Amino acid sequence: MTDDAKTVLVVDDDPDAREYLTTVLEDNGFTATTANDGAEAIASLEEEIPDLVSLDISMPEKSGVAVYRKLKEDERFKDVPVIIITGISEEFERFISSRRQVPPPEGYISKPVDAEQFVRKVRELTG
Amino acid sequence: MNNDYHVYFDALPCYLTVQDRDFRIIEANERFRWDFGDIEGRFCYQVYKGRSERCEICPVARAFHDGQRHRSEEQVKSLDGRQISVLVEATPIRDDDGKITAVMEMSTDITELKHLERQLRRSQRRYHLLFDEVPCYISIQDRELNIVEANRAFHEDFGACLGRKCYEVYKHRSEPCVPCPVQETLEDCAPHTREEVVTSLDGRHQNVLVTAAPICDGQGRITGVMEMSANITQVRQLEDRLTSLGLLIGSVSHGLKGLLNGLAGGMYLVDSGFKKEDKARVERGWGTVQRNVSRIQSMVSDILYYAKDRVPAWEPLSAVEVAEDVCRLMETRATEQGVRLSTVLDATAGAFEGDAQAVRSLLVNLIENSIDACRLDGKKPEHGVTVRLQGLSDFVQFEIEDNGIGMDQETKEKAFTMFFSSKGMEGTGLGLFIADRITRAHGGRIELESHPGVGTRFIVHLPRKRPPPEESEDSHPSEMDAAHDR
């Protein structure tokens, strides 16, 4: 990994999904860190701000949505681009459109994730 | 008779005759002559009734006999053959010495009235038929909400109700319902409709669509309300099933996407592992593929089980063997999630009759639920699921206990309903529902003990002997039979 490799924080409660995305990212020159749930995600962000966050919105107990809101409402984190990994994208879009103050995410991708599509989006958003 | 009276006599719009003691008509008014012809010397029974002798029961005779007025209803025939119904009043006429010399017979044409009477009776019969036979509940309440009339269906399902308050009889309440369509109608004299749930004598809840209609007197004042209730329980049940189906499909597609994502990940690892000639990666990937395929299999079999309630394939099973099989299966799953699976199995627990696959499914679902509960509980350093087996005289008892997140009261109550799912990304939410179904199909029951933050314990009692066919709750016509015709 080169020092100026972009970092991506992968937030997902499913270990298989975490392994999938981190492997894909590392294979494509990114550095990946992981978080199992909302709390770990925030802790990780406070330690180091990544270049992008990949967030599974369908984690239990709506923790995915809670993390998203925290991200976008916190001065420190609100400019970090977020890709939402979603099982049901209409539900999230409805959530977003019903809360005007929270800006929409920079990208969406639905499960099952297509590796190439994911990498393309990450590259786009991290310049 | 003097002239004035003669004018009145003739003008009266009824039949007037005067008969002597021999029943000969000595006077008759114009109206009479018009309809019955000439009277000269003829007997009244001849003229009126075309008879050759006196009528057995005759108000004129009675009047002659006791000197009192007498009334009766008679049928007479006019000259042109018309049947006329008349109301007869016979009044004795006395001479100056007080002797009865004649009887005046006054007959009012009530044919029209009789006709209306018959129509009314027919109408009433029809109304009663409708009232009693119509396949919905009808009751009539007075202004104080007492039931004053009720139809057969109402009596059958709600029992003796006349004179009692409506809200007592079918809602088992001690005071009026709020809101109440009957009250609303009493207030504004207009019909009102509402959906309600009522309880019949046998304790069943019925969904009904109630229409309250005002009953007014001649002056337009409301005297009561007719309440008509159509039983829509079956419609609601059907609706529930359709909604469940919709939810199931939504829930399944969501869970399935998660599993397919895992599968995609595994395949990526295998693929890229081959390309990079990284054997370790290929192995990891293959493990992921297998794991996710197995989860998909589990989900599909849950759905198929829901779709087709299976009658158990009964065979004698060894309780301890079944328990050991299941625990072996679930060992890996538990370790993956950092949960320790331990067992306390009584090897002498003995045998019971059951469907091997179904009982395994039942235990797997409960253990899965416990493993998930542990996964969701972040507060304890170590998580464990313990499977216990005990043999009782008529039952075998399986216990699955965990120290996971536990359930609060509301969650406990919903636990065995459809779509209870703590699993988030995984699961159809059917696991516990199916576990409960399987248990009941075997004639057993599941108990649930749980405390939030502490953990959960499922206790499953399965009878050693299979229940007689009427008792077990298996096979209703399946809701998804139609879905099989895809």
Side-chain angles (χ1 to χ4, degrees):
Chain A
M1 291 309 131
T2 55
D3 272 333
D4 49 351
K6 309 277 184 174
T7 48
V8 176
L9 171 63
V10 173
V11 187
D12 201 313
D13 67 324
D14 177 26
D16 289 344
R18 286 199 301 274
E19 181 169 29
Y20 181 23
L21 297 181
T22 52
T23 313
V24 169
L25 288 165
E26 283 167 1
D27 285 353
N28 285 276
F30 292 92
T31 305
T33 50
T34 60
N36 287 7
D37 58 37
E40 275 189 31
I42 300 293
S44 175
L45 280 162
E46 291 187 337
E47 227 176 285
E48 186 197 332
I49 298 186
D51 295 299
L52 182 136
V53 175
S54 159
L55 176 60
D56 172 15
I57 209 67
S58 46
M59 291 193 291
E61 307 187 3
K62 301 207 162 64
S63 54
V65 173
V67 168
Y68 184 76
R69 205 172 325 139
K70 268 216 191 90
L71 274 178
K72 289 307 181 189
E73 287 174 353
D74 192 320
E75 278 303 314
R76 301 170 287 169
F77 309 137
K78 68 179 173 57
D79 295 321
V80 179
V82 179
I83 294 180
I84 297 286
I85 314 274
T86 165
I88 304 178
S89 61
E90 310 89 48
E91 195 179 299
F92 184 67
E93 284 187 52
R94 242 184 287 132
F95 161 75
I96 282 300
S97 59
S98 71
R99 281 153 173 77
R100 302 295 154 87
Q101 319 95 305
V102 182
E106 286 72 16
Y108 285 104
I109 192 164
S110 60
K111 293 186 204 179
V113 174
D114 177 285
E116 273 181 35
Q117 212 190 0
F118 181 64
V119 171
R120 211 181 322 131
K121 283 213 167 135
V122 172
R123 270 203 229 283
E124 262 176 42
L125 294 171
T126 54
Chain B
M1 212 189 292
N2 72 34
N3 253 354
D4 283 345
Y5 282 118
H6 223 277
V7 172
Y8 306 147
F9 192 70
D10 269 335
L12 279 170
C14 57
Y15 305 122
L16 277 170
T17 56
V18 179
Q19 280 96 296
D20 65 13
R21 275 193 176 275
D22 295 324
F23 294 87
R24 241 182 264 269
I25 302 178
I26 51 183
E27 287 269 10
N29 73 347
E30 197 174 305
R31 184 97 195 274
F32 182 88
R33 290 175 203 264
W34 188 260
D35 276 345
F36 295 96
D38 252 342
I39 55 149
E40 296 317 325
R42 289 166 76 207
F43 297 101
C44 58
Y45 46 83
Q46 273 178 335
V47 179
Y48 268 143
K49 295 213 178 162
R51 290 169 63 100
S52 51
E53 38 178 51
R54 273 175 50 191
C55 318
E56 291 91 20
I57 302 170
C58 172
V60 174
R62 283 218 218 105
F64 272 120
H65 179 76
D66 64 8
Q68 306 284 347
R69 279 208 184 126
H70 285 276
R71 267 191 168 197
S72 84
E73 263 185 48
E74 304 285 337
Q75 285 271 85
V76 297
K77 198 152 72 151
S78 67
L79 210 53
D80 53 10
R82 266 184 307 137
Q83 287 280 16
I84 305 178
S85 298
V86 289
L87 185 63
V88 173
E89 185 152 333
T91 313
I93 299 177
R94 295 169 200 271
D95 65 12
D96 292 330
D97 299 320
K99 244 181 59 191
I100 300 173
T101 53
V103 166
M104 179 168 81
E105 193 176 12
M106 179 163 98
S107 305
T108 316
D109 186 342
I110 55 168
T111 313
E112 191 56 40
L113 218 63
K114 294 307 275 181
H115 181 62
L116 285 174
E117 212 176 77
R118 271 195 304 276
Q119 275 193 328
L120 181 63
R121 262 202 304 272
R122 201 181 323 139
S123 188
Q124 279 184 328
R125 269 198 306 271
R126 206 170 281 174
Y127 164 74
H128 274 116
L129 192 68
L130 253 175
F131 189 73
D132 266 334
E133 300 306 322
V134 79
C136 65
Y137 303 125
I138 307 184
S139 62
I140 298 182
Q141 278 95 296
D142 63 16
R143 290 218 291 268
E144 281 77 49
L145 299 185
N146 297 307
I147 297 177
V148 297
E149 219 178 315
N151 75 344
R152 192 153 64 96
F154 194 97
H155 280 291
E156 271 173 11
D157 281 357
F158 300 105
C161 54
L162 298 178
R164 291 171 61 198
K165 301 284 183 192
C166 54
Y167 46 83
E168 257 179 36
V169 173
Y170 48 63
K171 291 261 188 112
H172 302 179
R173 288 174 65 106
S174 49
E175 37 179 46
C177 317
V178 178
C180 167
V182 175
Q183 297 266 50
E184 286 168 24
T185 298
L186 282 170
E187 270 159 44
D188 65 7
C189 225
H192 286 273
T193 306
R194 225 186 120 73
E195 191 176 328
E196 299 280 346
V197 179
V198 295
T199 312
S200 50
L201 265 182
D202 57 6
R204 273 179 308 140
H205 290 298
Q206 317 270 19
N207 296 80
V208 289
L209 191 59
V210 175
T211 301
I215 298 176
C216 299
D217 64 12
Q219 277 84 20
R221 277 189 309 245
I222 189 164
T223 54
V225 175
M226 179 179 276
E227 192 177 11
M228 298 161 278
S229 306
N231 195 331
I232 55 171
T233 311
Q234 280 198 317
V235 172
R236 287 279 169 253
Q237 280 175 347
L238 211 59
E239 205 180 46
D240 277 346
R241 285 202 197 122
L242 285 175
T243 309
S244 295
L245 211 54
L247 282 175
L248 180 64
I249 292 170
S251 169
V252 163
S253 81
H254 180 217
L256 214 47
K257 281 190 183 166
L259 296 181
L260 292 177
N261 196 40
L263 211 48
M267 292 195 298
Y268 176 81
L269 290 173
V270 171
D271 227 14
S272 58
F274 274 129
K275 289 203 185 97
K276 291 181 194 274
E277 295 186 3
D278 180 343
K279 185 157 177 253
R281 185 185 276 207
V282 173
E283 277 175 5
R284 266 195 348 262
W286 187 240
T288 304
V289 167
Q290 289 180 308
R291 198 171 42 246
N292 281 284
V293 168
S294 138
R295 284 186 186 136
I296 291 172
Q297 277 177 334
S298 202
M299 177 183 278
V300 169
S301 84
D302 274 357
I303 296 167
L304 288 179
Y305 187 88
Y306 172 70
K308 211 168 162 74
D309 262 344
R310 282 196 204 102
V311 178
W314 300 102
E315 57 171 321
L317 299 172
S318 152
V320 72
E321 266 178 41
V322 170
E324 284 174 347
D325 272 347
V326 169
C327 292
R328 236 192 318 265
L329 204 74
M330 297 305 287
E331 187 84 65
T332 358
R333 205 82 81 91
T335 323
E336 265 170 34
Q337 301 281 356
V339 172
R340 200 177 45 136
L341 184 64
S342 41
T343 58
V344 179
L345 309 176
D346 177 0
T348 65
F352 68 103
E353 277 191 88
D355 178 323
Q357 194 189 17
V359 176
R360 273 200 286 269
S361 247
L362 147 67
L363 295 172
V364 163
N365 279 340
L366 294 178
I367 298 175
E368 260 179 9
N369 187 81
S370 285
I371 293 177
D372 273 329
C374 291
R375 179 171 65 88
L376 288 171
D377 171 74
K379 301 197 179 115
K380 305 183 190 80
E382 272 177 24
H383 287 112
V385 173
T386 310
V387 178
R388 293 192 183 84
L389 169 62
Q390 246 187 74
L392 306 172
S393 51
D394 293 322
F395 292 90
V396 293
Q397 181 174 297
F398 294 93
E399 247 182 60
I400 289 107
E401 186 172 358
D402 65 73
N403 65 342
I405 197 170
M407 302 182 198
D408 60 21
Q409 187 58 31
E410 194 189 333
T411 312
K412 266 199 283 194
E413 280 170 21
K414 298 204 306 221
F416 295 110
T417 60
M418 286 183 68
F419 315 119
F420 165 75
S421 178
S422 57
K423 287 181 188 175
M425 58 147 275
E426 254 185 72
T428 53
L430 287 178
L432 290 185
F433 175 76
I434 287 172
D436 184 51
R437 278 263 264 259
I438 295 174
T439 309
R440 284 197 271 139
H442 281 73
R445 65 178 195 284
I446 305 186
E447 277 159 32
L448 164 59
E449 288 169 15
S450 188
H451 297 282
V454 176
T456 300
R457 190 148 71 114
F458 292 104
I459 305 163
V460 182
H461 282 111
L462 293 177
R464 291 192 188 275
K465 288 250 165 307
R466 77 170 97 164
E470 309 78 45
E471 272 180 33
S472 59
E473 289 185 34
D474 43 43
S475 50
H476 336 287
S478 125
E479 301 93 343
M480 277 176 79
D481 268 336
H484 284 289
D485 303 335
R486 275 191 242 111

